[in-house]
Amino acid sequence: MEAVLARHAAWRGLAQTTAPGHDPALWSAPREDITLARVSQRLRFHHFEIDLAARELRDGGRLLQLSPKIFDCIAYLLDNRERAVGRDELMAAVWGRADTADSQLGQAMLKARRALGDSGEAQHTIRTVAGFGYRWIADVHEVEVAAEPPPPAQAAAPVPPAPEPDTGAAPAAVTRETRSGRRHWFAAAAVAAVAAVVLSSAFWAWRQPHPAPPPERVVAAAPASAPDTLVVLPARVDADEEFSWLRLGMMEFVAARLRAAGRTVAPSENVVSALRAGDAAQLPETIRAALKPRYLVVPHARRTDHGWTVGLELQDRDKAAREVTASGEDAIAAARAASERLLDVIGRLSPAAVAEAAALPSEELLSRIDAALLADDLDGARRLLQSAPPEQRAAPELRLRLAQVEAGAGRFDVAEADLRRLLAEVPPETDPVLRASIASSRGAMLVRLGRAAEAEAVLDSSMETLESRSEPALLGKSHMRRGVARALQGKADAAMADFAQARIALQLAGDALGLAQVELNEGALSGVRNHPGDALESFRRAERQFERFGISSELVTSMANQVVAHRVLLQPGQGLEVSQRSLALLGRLPSPDLEHLLKLRRAQALADNGRWSDAEMQLGELARGIDPAREAELAALTANERALLELARGRAAEAYALTEPTAEKLTAPEFDSARSEAWFLAIRALHAQERVAEAGALTRRYAAWAAPSGNTTFVIHARLAEAEQAAAERRYAEADRAYEDALRAANAQNVPADIADVAESWAGSLIARGELIRAAPVVGQIARYAEHDFGSALLQVRLYHALGQGEAWRSALDRARALAMERAIPPELVKPPAAVRIGNATVGVGN
């Protein structure tokens, strides 16, 4: 979806698999009787293992649940991986006949790719052979099965280290070292490319698999919407299987006719998403709860001896129903007539745009293409487009849909070029709404291609065209896209204004999913602007809506960024709870990138709560599974998190080895957040090894880089690094000035994690120097976090112990122990404090 923080979302789409007019004799034919029974070996590819005899597919040891046909598609391609397999051959192998509907095979391949963490865009496991079929391309290794596995007692698996006791040794700087990466700054999660609604005003470029909801679903508050919103449901079709496309095609056709007459009709994507997320029988109730429409329109179509009869049932909020019917030679003609009769009942708000048949491509063809796009069948949509006569293929409406298909397949440069040419051929005076739709789609493509300034200019023209038009859905999407383009250029205030206008327009359009995308964008931008509390609330609202509709990619992003927000707000327990809920999405995501992001957030939440062994296991698995070339940022963030744990365990050399590559090699602007974090950790790792001179040189480079960045968090941490360098060199007056600067900047931003980073370091330095009176107010700055944050609690233990305050020390120690888990409390802080003399007074009594 169109989200600032959609960086780790994958764009799905299936490439063309057949070409019209292709001679079947040229397609591949099976060279022997088609059977899967002869396959008996176990094979490994990526992090999957498949036992073809037992019909089991495992992902990292976890058994995946696949339908028989999906498993057979995977198995057959694997067994014939030395060559491309034609569509007819695959259909004959799996379904036992070669005349299976193309859409059936397309859907099966879509699900097979999802199960393997693949997509039509990535194609790292199954490649589409255009005009022919498919080919297995992932490296495959046979698994040697031991005759008799050793008993568990003899297994050589490593045992996680036991939690360290309170009295165990710990590095002196454990508090600071475990704190510094807790933020995983929002910019790393939110600065990116984006646009999910990148195509026409009517369709998304891709959609997500929609898993069954968990047992206890969170019910989202319905968004404010126009009071007279209509929702058209999928049609009930009483006809042969060849007319199954009418189910979604007629839905979108009727919705478009009603929209043309000025009625507010919720986008069909909302309906399709709700359908995938739950029980089809409950769809009307789900839609009523989610969208609060005034009317539901339920189409039904029946084929007769003389043509078609189409009925449109109109249900109001009280479920009272009226129905209009019409007949015609074909289903779309009947649906057109029924729509006109329905408008006679509910009224037109503006004259309907009734085009002559000769002026537009075949309405049936458009409806079939729209049905394929709504069903994620990009292969089918492409075949329909290519099968149209040349004069129809030249029509702007079909060219726009072809650009949709290209974008859905991940060919954004091709889609942008097509849209640019089309835009030049459709002047505003000819069809202003169509032109605005083309411009808006092109703007989204430019954002995806990293050309945000161009995108902003193109989207400006789209909205100028719409100024006098009642097109709230298209206007809302255009504002959202321009907001993303502005956010990527650092124009935060202008972006927020766009998101606010998008919210109003999408409410008027009855677009609940569009509103959820706005929440996601606003949350990301709030995080970048150092307003984590606002960001968290936006992410929570977005999660509730995406969960309702089963949109898994955006659901992952919403939950992953909640973990970040809780980290920044020093709420580790709440972050762990969110990450625990997110585990239900594992195995149901359309790309490995999303699964890796979810696992990274889980590991960070575990580490924040002192579950170091669990976090290390998760991070080790991630490090092995991430492709550093394709997922460079995720690889860097995983390395940073591993470095934090190495520092906390006193293994500074290992920590430096993990962070140095990121700090030195990931120099592109999109990696700035990961690089800043790595730089800061590398400096601390050098200090922990007493390599003070090297740390000083790196600190100067870091500070010179951070100063012009405009990122307050970078500047705060660079100044903090300078303070720690000065303290290491015993230049305490200079160190205190730097600490004071950093703390002042952190307080101005009022971000708890930044304040704690500086306060813990400065207070620790002052306590080590015996300047307890000066340390006390610095510790006081983060006292409010000590109930739930281990670093803040441990700092209080340190101060009260140094002051000789026995009762306060004991209470603080109990609190720190309750939060510690595997984090060690230095042994000197566990011993009762002695009385301390400050000036002429004796303070505290050790006991």
mmCIF file of all heavy atoms in Angstrom, residues 222-231 263-266 284-298 313-322 346 507-510:
data_model
loop_
_atom_site.group_PDB
_atom_site.id
_atom_site.type_symbol
_atom_site.label_atom_id
_atom_site.label_comp_id
_atom_site.label_asym_id
_atom_site.label_seq_id
_atom_site.Cartn_x
_atom_site.Cartn_y
_atom_site.Cartn_z
ATOM 1 N N ALA A 222 -15.286 1.772 13.177
ATOM 2 C CA ALA A 222 -15.544 2.084 11.774
ATOM 3 C C ALA A 222 -15.156 3.516 11.490
ATOM 4 O O ALA A 222 -15.351 4.408 12.304
ATOM 5 C CB ALA A 222 -17.019 1.875 11.465
ATOM 6 N N PRO A 223 -14.543 3.773 10.336
ATOM 7 C CA PRO A 223 -14.148 5.125 10.014
ATOM 8 C C PRO A 223 -15.368 5.974 9.689
ATOM 9 O O PRO A 223 -16.402 5.470 9.267
ATOM 10 C CB PRO A 223 -13.287 4.934 8.753
ATOM 11 C CG PRO A 223 -13.851 3.712 8.121
ATOM 12 C CD PRO A 223 -14.271 2.833 9.257
ATOM 13 N N ALA A 224 -15.193 7.273 9.912
ATOM 14 C CA ALA A 224 -16.241 8.184 9.477
ATOM 15 C C ALA A 224 -16.332 8.126 7.967
ATOM 16 O O ALA A 224 -15.326 8.067 7.276
ATOM 17 C CB ALA A 224 -15.901 9.596 9.934
ATOM 18 N N SER A 225 -17.535 8.074 7.418
ATOM 19 C CA SER A 225 -17.684 7.983 5.981
ATOM 20 C C SER A 225 -18.896 8.791 5.556
ATOM 21 O O SER A 225 -19.651 9.304 6.375
ATOM 22 C CB SER A 225 -17.827 6.527 5.533
ATOM 23 O OG SER A 225 -18.969 5.959 6.123
ATOM 24 N N ALA A 226 -19.066 8.910 4.251
ATOM 25 C CA ALA A 226 -20.201 9.647 3.735
ATOM 26 C C ALA A 226 -21.490 8.963 4.181
ATOM 27 O O ALA A 226 -21.583 7.738 4.221
ATOM 28 C CB ALA A 226 -20.120 9.701 2.221
ATOM 29 N N PRO A 227 -22.540 9.745 4.528
ATOM 30 C CA PRO A 227 -23.749 9.130 5.081
ATOM 31 C C PRO A 227 -24.502 8.260 4.089
ATOM 32 O O PRO A 227 -25.285 7.408 4.495
ATOM 33 C CB PRO A 227 -24.582 10.352 5.503
ATOM 34 C CG PRO A 227 -24.061 11.489 4.684
ATOM 35 C CD PRO A 227 -22.607 11.205 4.501
ATOM 36 N N ASP A 228 -24.307 8.452 2.793
ATOM 37 C CA ASP A 228 -25.056 7.691 1.797
ATOM 38 C C ASP A 228 -24.184 6.708 1.034
ATOM 39 O O ASP A 228 -24.444 6.389 -0.125
ATOM 40 C CB ASP A 228 -25.732 8.646 0.803
ATOM 41 C CG ASP A 228 -26.839 9.449 1.462
ATOM 42 O OD1 ASP A 228 -27.451 8.930 2.398
ATOM 43 O OD2 ASP A 228 -27.070 10.597 1.039
ATOM 44 N N THR A 229 -23.132 6.208 1.663
ATOM 45 C CA THR A 229 -22.228 5.278 0.992
ATOM 46 C C THR A 229 -22.940 3.985 0.603
ATOM 47 O O THR A 229 -23.711 3.418 1.375
ATOM 48 C CB THR A 229 -21.034 4.940 1.904
ATOM 49 O OG1 THR A 229 -20.345 6.133 2.212
ATOM 50 C CG2 THR A 229 -20.083 3.966 1.225
ATOM 51 N N LEU A 230 -22.664 3.536 -0.621
ATOM 52 C CA LEU A 230 -23.124 2.229 -1.082
ATOM 53 C C LEU A 230 -21.929 1.290 -1.162
ATOM 54 O O LEU A 230 -20.799 1.719 -1.434
ATOM 55 C CB LEU A 230 -23.769 2.314 -2.465
ATOM 56 C CG LEU A 230 -25.077 3.079 -2.614
ATOM 57 C CD1 LEU A 230 -24.814 4.494 -3.070
ATOM 58 C CD2 LEU A 230 -25.980 2.370 -3.624
ATOM 59 N N VAL A 231 -22.180 0.017 -0.960
ATOM 60 C CA VAL A 231 -21.167 -1.017 -1.175
ATOM 61 C C VAL A 231 -21.779 -2.071 -2.081
ATOM 62 O O VAL A 231 -22.856 -2.609 -1.785
ATOM 63 C CB VAL A 231 -20.696 -1.663 0.138
ATOM 64 C CG1 VAL A 231 -19.745 -2.814 -0.150
ATOM 65 C CG2 VAL A 231 -20.024 -0.634 1.038
ATOM 66 N N ARG A 263 -23.116 8.783 -7.116
ATOM 67 C CA ARG A 263 -23.283 8.117 -5.826
ATOM 68 C C ARG A 263 -21.921 7.771 -5.231
ATOM 69 O O ARG A 263 -20.959 7.500 -5.959
ATOM 70 C CB ARG A 263 -24.102 6.830 -5.979
ATOM 71 C CG ARG A 263 -25.441 6.966 -6.668
ATOM 72 C CD ARG A 263 -26.401 7.917 -5.990
ATOM 73 N NE ARG A 263 -26.582 7.705 -4.575
ATOM 74 C CZ ARG A 263 -27.625 8.159 -3.860
ATOM 75 N NH1 ARG A 263 -28.584 8.827 -4.474
ATOM 76 N NH2 ARG A 263 -27.715 7.954 -2.568
ATOM 77 N N THR A 264 -21.829 7.773 -3.905
ATOM 78 C CA THR A 264 -20.593 7.391 -3.216
ATOM 79 C C THR A 264 -20.573 5.875 -3.053
ATOM 80 O O THR A 264 -21.410 5.311 -2.335
ATOM 81 C CB THR A 264 -20.498 8.067 -1.839
ATOM 82 O OG1 THR A 264 -20.496 9.483 -2.016
ATOM 83 C CG2 THR A 264 -19.226 7.643 -1.119
ATOM 84 N N VAL A 265 -19.642 5.234 -3.729
ATOM 85 C CA VAL A 265 -19.545 3.773 -3.704
ATOM 86 C C VAL A 265 -18.158 3.394 -3.187
ATOM 87 O O VAL A 265 -17.147 3.842 -3.731
ATOM 88 C CB VAL A 265 -19.765 3.170 -5.109
ATOM 89 C CG1 VAL A 265 -19.763 1.646 -5.038
ATOM 90 C CG2 VAL A 265 -21.076 3.669 -5.701
ATOM 91 N N ALA A 266 -18.112 2.602 -2.142
ATOM 92 C CA ALA A 266 -16.824 2.188 -1.573
ATOM 93 C C ALA A 266 -16.015 1.424 -2.616
ATOM 94 O O ALA A 266 -16.573 0.636 -3.390
ATOM 95 C CB ALA A 266 -17.044 1.319 -0.345
ATOM 96 N N PRO A 284 -21.604 -9.748 4.218
ATOM 97 C CA PRO A 284 -22.444 -8.560 4.429
ATOM 98 C C PRO A 284 -22.292 -7.959 5.819
ATOM 99 O O PRO A 284 -22.204 -6.732 5.964
ATOM 100 C CB PRO A 284 -23.868 -9.100 4.186
ATOM 101 C CG PRO A 284 -23.675 -10.268 3.273
ATOM 102 C CD PRO A 284 -22.395 -10.899 3.723
ATOM 103 N N GLU A 285 -22.239 -8.819 6.845
ATOM 104 C CA GLU A 285 -22.104 -8.303 8.204
ATOM 105 C C GLU A 285 -20.724 -7.677 8.418
ATOM 106 O O GLU A 285 -20.591 -6.656 9.102
ATOM 107 C CB GLU A 285 -22.349 -9.417 9.224
ATOM 108 C CG GLU A 285 -23.768 -9.959 9.205
ATOM 109 C CD GLU A 285 -24.809 -8.843 9.314
ATOM 110 O OE1 GLU A 285 -24.624 -7.952 10.172
ATOM 111 O OE2 GLU A 285 -25.763 -8.842 8.521
ATOM 112 N N THR A 286 -19.692 -8.304 7.844
ATOM 113 C CA THR A 286 -18.342 -7.736 7.958
ATOM 114 C C THR A 286 -18.288 -6.355 7.321
ATOM 115 O O THR A 286 -17.718 -5.409 7.892
ATOM 116 C CB THR A 286 -17.318 -8.662 7.274
ATOM 117 O OG1 THR A 286 -17.356 -9.948 7.892
ATOM 118 C CG2 THR A 286 -15.911 -8.092 7.387
ATOM 119 N N ILE A 287 -18.889 -6.231 6.133
ATOM 120 C CA ILE A 287 -18.889 -4.942 5.441
ATOM 121 C C ILE A 287 -19.676 -3.905 6.225
ATOM 122 O O ILE A 287 -19.264 -2.744 6.353
ATOM 123 C CB ILE A 287 -19.470 -5.108 4.019
ATOM 124 C CG1 ILE A 287 -18.493 -5.903 3.145
ATOM 125 C CG2 ILE A 287 -19.774 -3.765 3.390
ATOM 126 C CD1 ILE A 287 -17.169 -5.222 2.912
ATOM 127 N N ARG A 288 -20.828 -4.293 6.775
ATOM 128 C CA ARG A 288 -21.613 -3.341 7.572
ATOM 129 C C ARG A 288 -20.816 -2.837 8.772
ATOM 130 O O ARG A 288 -20.861 -1.657 9.110
ATOM 131 C CB ARG A 288 -22.919 -3.991 8.034
ATOM 132 C CG ARG A 288 -23.961 -4.165 6.932
ATOM 133 C CD ARG A 288 -25.311 -4.591 7.520
ATOM 134 N NE ARG A 288 -26.332 -4.681 6.471
ATOM 135 C CZ ARG A 288 -26.675 -5.799 5.874
ATOM 136 N NH1 ARG A 288 -26.076 -6.951 6.209
ATOM 137 N NH2 ARG A 288 -27.601 -5.799 4.935
ATOM 138 N N ALA A 289 -20.093 -3.760 9.431
ATOM 139 C CA ALA A 289 -19.319 -3.361 10.609
ATOM 140 C C ALA A 289 -18.127 -2.492 10.233
ATOM 141 O O ALA A 289 -17.787 -1.543 10.943
ATOM 142 C CB ALA A 289 -18.839 -4.610 11.353
ATOM 143 N N ALA A 290 -17.497 -2.799 9.110
ATOM 144 C CA ALA A 290 -16.266 -2.091 8.750
ATOM 145 C C ALA A 290 -16.520 -0.759 8.083
ATOM 146 O O ALA A 290 -15.812 0.218 8.324
ATOM 147 C CB ALA A 290 -15.417 -2.975 7.832
ATOM 148 N N LEU A 291 -17.537 -0.683 7.219
ATOM 149 C CA LEU A 291 -17.720 0.505 6.380
ATOM 150 C C LEU A 291 -18.955 1.326 6.729
ATOM 151 O O LEU A 291 -19.082 2.459 6.250
ATOM 152 C CB LEU A 291 -17.788 0.089 4.905
ATOM 153 C CG LEU A 291 -16.581 -0.671 4.369
ATOM 154 C CD1 LEU A 291 -16.781 -1.016 2.901
ATOM 155 C CD2 LEU A 291 -15.305 0.133 4.554
ATOM 156 N N LYS A 292 -19.871 0.780 7.511
ATOM 157 C CA LYS A 292 -21.092 1.491 7.892
ATOM 158 C C LYS A 292 -21.828 2.077 6.690
ATOM 159 O O LYS A 292 -22.191 3.246 6.673
ATOM 160 C CB LYS A 292 -20.760 2.619 8.882
ATOM 161 C CG LYS A 292 -20.086 2.171 10.160
ATOM 162 C CD LYS A 292 -21.026 1.365 11.030
ATOM 163 C CE LYS A 292 -20.369 1.032 12.379
ATOM 164 N NZ LYS A 292 -21.216 0.140 13.193
ATOM 165 N N PRO A 293 -22.072 1.300 5.637
ATOM 166 C CA PRO A 293 -22.722 1.863 4.450
ATOM 167 C C PRO A 293 -24.219 2.085 4.694
ATOM 168 O O PRO A 293 -24.837 1.429 5.540
ATOM 169 C CB PRO A 293 -22.504 0.781 3.393
ATOM 170 C CG PRO A 293 -22.491 -0.490 4.188
ATOM 171 C CD PRO A 293 -21.817 -0.143 5.497
ATOM 172 N N ARG A 294 -24.806 2.975 3.911
ATOM 173 C CA ARG A 294 -26.260 3.123 3.964
ATOM 174 C C ARG A 294 -26.942 1.975 3.239
ATOM 175 O O ARG A 294 -27.984 1.481 3.666
ATOM 176 C CB ARG A 294 -26.674 4.454 3.335
ATOM 177 C CG ARG A 294 -28.193 4.641 3.331
ATOM 178 C CD ARG A 294 -28.613 5.996 2.837
ATOM 179 N NE ARG A 294 -30.065 6.130 2.845
ATOM 180 C CZ ARG A 294 -30.727 7.217 2.461
ATOM 181 N NH1 ARG A 294 -30.045 8.273 2.034
ATOM 182 N NH2 ARG A 294 -32.042 7.261 2.496
ATOM 183 N N TYR A 295 -26.335 1.568 2.107
ATOM 184 C CA TYR A 295 -26.922 0.505 1.306
ATOM 185 C C TYR A 295 -25.878 -0.551 0.962
ATOM 186 O O TYR A 295 -24.710 -0.224 0.723
ATOM 187 C CB TYR A 295 -27.471 1.042 -0.026
ATOM 188 C CG TYR A 295 -28.600 2.028 0.085
ATOM 189 C CD1 TYR A 295 -28.416 3.349 -0.317
ATOM 190 C CD2 TYR A 295 -29.859 1.642 0.536
ATOM 191 C CE1 TYR A 295 -29.462 4.273 -0.246
ATOM 192 C CE2 TYR A 295 -30.906 2.549 0.611
ATOM 193 C CZ TYR A 295 -30.695 3.872 0.218
ATOM 194 O OH TYR A 295 -31.725 4.766 0.286
ATOM 195 N N LEU A 296 -26.336 -1.797 0.904
ATOM 196 C CA LEU A 296 -25.596 -2.868 0.243
ATOM 197 C C LEU A 296 -26.319 -3.186 -1.059
ATOM 198 O O LEU A 296 -27.556 -3.283 -1.092
ATOM 199 C CB LEU A 296 -25.543 -4.127 1.103
ATOM 200 C CG LEU A 296 -24.697 -4.105 2.378
ATOM 201 C CD1 LEU A 296 -24.720 -5.491 3.025
ATOM 202 C CD2 LEU A 296 -23.285 -3.681 2.100
ATOM 203 N N VAL A 297 -25.555 -3.373 -2.125
ATOM 204 C CA VAL A 297 -26.107 -3.781 -3.406
ATOM 205 C C VAL A 297 -25.591 -5.182 -3.694
ATOM 206 O O VAL A 297 -24.370 -5.402 -3.758
ATOM 207 C CB VAL A 297 -25.711 -2.823 -4.542
ATOM 208 C CG1 VAL A 297 -26.281 -3.310 -5.878
ATOM 209 C CG2 VAL A 297 -26.190 -1.408 -4.227
ATOM 210 N N VAL A 298 -26.520 -6.139 -3.829
ATOM 211 C CA VAL A 298 -26.143 -7.536 -4.046
ATOM 212 C C VAL A 298 -26.591 -7.952 -5.455
ATOM 213 O O VAL A 298 -27.772 -8.171 -5.694
ATOM 214 C CB VAL A 298 -26.796 -8.464 -2.998
ATOM 215 C CG1 VAL A 298 -26.284 -9.894 -3.168
ATOM 216 C CG2 VAL A 298 -26.527 -7.948 -1.588
ATOM 217 N N GLU A 313 -30.192 -6.382 -5.774
ATOM 218 C CA GLU A 313 -30.944 -6.279 -4.525
ATOM 219 C C GLU A 313 -30.349 -5.147 -3.690
ATOM 220 O O GLU A 313 -29.146 -5.127 -3.426
ATOM 221 C CB GLU A 313 -30.869 -7.598 -3.757
ATOM 222 C CG GLU A 313 -31.670 -7.603 -2.465
ATOM 223 C CD GLU A 313 -31.557 -8.933 -1.740
ATOM 224 O OE1 GLU A 313 -32.068 -9.940 -2.276
ATOM 225 O OE2 GLU A 313 -30.922 -8.965 -0.656
ATOM 226 N N LEU A 314 -31.186 -4.223 -3.270
ATOM 227 C CA LEU A 314 -30.753 -3.060 -2.488
ATOM 228 C C LEU A 314 -31.181 -3.269 -1.043
ATOM 229 O O LEU A 314 -32.377 -3.340 -0.741
ATOM 230 C CB LEU A 314 -31.386 -1.788 -3.055
ATOM 231 C CG LEU A 314 -30.963 -0.474 -2.396
ATOM 232 C CD1 LEU A 314 -29.517 -0.140 -2.753
ATOM 233 C CD2 LEU A 314 -31.889 0.664 -2.838
ATOM 234 N N GLN A 315 -30.191 -3.392 -0.136
ATOM 235 C CA GLN A 315 -30.472 -3.600 1.283
ATOM 236 C C GLN A 315 -30.082 -2.348 2.049
ATOM 237 O O GLN A 315 -28.952 -1.864 1.911
ATOM 238 C CB GLN A 315 -29.690 -4.795 1.828
ATOM 239 C CG GLN A 315 -29.997 -6.116 1.150
ATOM 240 C CD GLN A 315 -29.134 -7.249 1.703
ATOM 241 O OE1 GLN A 315 -28.369 -7.063 2.646
ATOM 242 N NE2 GLN A 315 -29.264 -8.434 1.104
ATOM 243 N N ASP A 316 -30.985 -1.822 2.881
ATOM 244 C CA ASP A 316 -30.633 -0.655 3.673
ATOM 245 C C ASP A 316 -30.071 -1.090 5.019
ATOM 246 O O ASP A 316 -29.883 -2.282 5.270
ATOM 247 C CB ASP A 316 -31.824 0.297 3.824
ATOM 248 C CG ASP A 316 -32.988 -0.345 4.576
ATOM 249 O OD1 ASP A 316 -32.773 -1.337 5.300
ATOM 250 O OD2 ASP A 316 -34.117 0.164 4.447
ATOM 251 N N ARG A 317 -29.816 -0.142 5.903
ATOM 252 C CA ARG A 317 -29.178 -0.463 7.187
ATOM 253 C C ARG A 317 -30.042 -1.388 8.038
ATOM 254 O O ARG A 317 -29.534 -2.122 8.875
ATOM 255 C CB ARG A 317 -28.875 0.832 7.950
ATOM 256 C CG ARG A 317 -27.765 1.651 7.311
ATOM 257 C CD ARG A 317 -27.325 2.794 8.222
ATOM 258 N NE ARG A 317 -26.228 3.544 7.618
ATOM 259 C CZ ARG A 317 -26.316 4.814 7.220
ATOM 260 N NH1 ARG A 317 -27.450 5.478 7.377
ATOM 261 N NH2 ARG A 317 -25.274 5.419 6.685
ATOM 262 N N ASP A 318 -31.357 -1.327 7.852
ATOM 263 C CA ASP A 318 -32.260 -2.199 8.607
ATOM 264 C C ASP A 318 -32.473 -3.544 7.921
ATOM 265 O O ASP A 318 -33.344 -4.327 8.324
ATOM 266 C CB ASP A 318 -33.610 -1.506 8.793
ATOM 267 C CG ASP A 318 -33.474 -0.231 9.623
ATOM 268 O OD1 ASP A 318 -32.620 -0.198 10.515
ATOM 269 O OD2 ASP A 318 -34.214 0.728 9.329
ATOM 270 N N LYS A 319 -31.716 -3.778 6.832
ATOM 271 C CA LYS A 319 -31.767 -5.015 6.053
ATOM 272 C C LYS A 319 -33.068 -5.172 5.267
ATOM 273 O O LYS A 319 -33.370 -6.262 4.780
ATOM 274 C CB LYS A 319 -31.528 -6.240 6.945
ATOM 275 C CG LYS A 319 -30.180 -6.197 7.668
ATOM 276 C CD LYS A 319 -29.933 -7.448 8.491
ATOM 277 C CE LYS A 319 -28.636 -7.335 9.276
ATOM 278 N NZ LYS A 319 -28.382 -8.515 10.109
ATOM 279 N N ALA A 320 -33.838 -4.097 5.175
ATOM 280 C CA ALA A 320 -35.009 -4.125 4.300
ATOM 281 C C ALA A 320 -34.506 -4.120 2.865
ATOM 282 O O ALA A 320 -33.551 -3.412 2.531
ATOM 283 C CB ALA A 320 -35.888 -2.914 4.568
ATOM 284 N N ALA A 321 -35.134 -4.925 2.005
ATOM 285 C CA ALA A 321 -34.590 -5.114 0.660
ATOM 286 C C ALA A 321 -35.607 -4.750 -0.410
ATOM 287 O O ALA A 321 -36.814 -4.977 -0.260
ATOM 288 C CB ALA A 321 -34.139 -6.561 0.485
ATOM 289 N N ARG A 322 -35.070 -4.164 -1.484
ATOM 290 C CA ARG A 322 -35.823 -3.954 -2.723
ATOM 291 C C ARG A 322 -34.974 -4.518 -3.851
ATOM 292 O O ARG A 322 -33.759 -4.622 -3.727
ATOM 293 C CB ARG A 322 -36.070 -2.464 -2.955
ATOM 294 C CG ARG A 322 -37.077 -1.844 -2.007
ATOM 295 C CD ARG A 322 -37.085 -0.327 -2.141
ATOM 296 N NE ARG A 322 -35.917 0.258 -1.514
ATOM 297 C CZ ARG A 322 -35.623 1.559 -1.539
ATOM 298 N NH1 ARG A 322 -36.413 2.383 -2.206
ATOM 299 N NH2 ARG A 322 -34.559 2.020 -0.927
ATOM 300 N N ILE A 346 -32.904 5.008 -6.287
ATOM 301 C CA ILE A 346 -32.160 5.752 -5.255
ATOM 302 C C ILE A 346 -31.812 7.169 -5.696
ATOM 303 O O ILE A 346 -31.421 7.998 -4.880
ATOM 304 C CB ILE A 346 -30.864 5.009 -4.863
ATOM 305 C CG1 ILE A 346 -29.923 4.869 -6.062
ATOM 306 C CG2 ILE A 346 -31.186 3.646 -4.272
ATOM 307 C CD1 ILE A 346 -28.579 4.244 -5.706
ATOM 308 N N GLN A 507 -12.586 9.552 3.394
ATOM 309 C CA GLN A 507 -13.799 9.387 4.187
ATOM 310 C C GLN A 507 -15.037 9.615 3.322
ATOM 311 O O GLN A 507 -16.012 8.862 3.390
ATOM 312 C CB GLN A 507 -13.797 10.361 5.371
ATOM 313 C CG GLN A 507 -12.877 9.949 6.509
ATOM 314 C CD GLN A 507 -12.805 10.987 7.609
ATOM 315 O OE1 GLN A 507 -13.179 12.142 7.399
ATOM 316 N NE2 GLN A 507 -12.314 10.598 8.768
ATOM 317 N N LEU A 508 -14.979 10.656 2.496
ATOM 318 C CA LEU A 508 -16.102 10.939 1.607
ATOM 319 C C LEU A 508 -16.304 9.815 0.594
ATOM 320 O O LEU A 508 -17.426 9.566 0.146
ATOM 321 C CB LEU A 508 -15.882 12.262 0.881
ATOM 322 C CG LEU A 508 -15.919 13.515 1.760
ATOM 323 C CD1 LEU A 508 -15.540 14.743 0.951
ATOM 324 C CD2 LEU A 508 -17.295 13.700 2.390
ATOM 325 N N ALA A 509 -15.212 9.152 0.228
ATOM 326 C CA ALA A 509 -15.300 8.058 -0.746
ATOM 327 C C ALA A 509 -15.683 6.735 -0.104
ATOM 328 O O ALA A 509 -15.891 5.745 -0.813
ATOM 329 C CB ALA A 509 -13.958 7.908 -1.470
ATOM 330 N N GLY A 510 -15.761 6.683 1.221
ATOM 331 C CA GLY A 510 -16.080 5.427 1.900
ATOM 332 C C GLY A 510 -14.979 4.393 1.793
ATOM 333 O O GLY A 510 -15.249 3.189 1.816
#
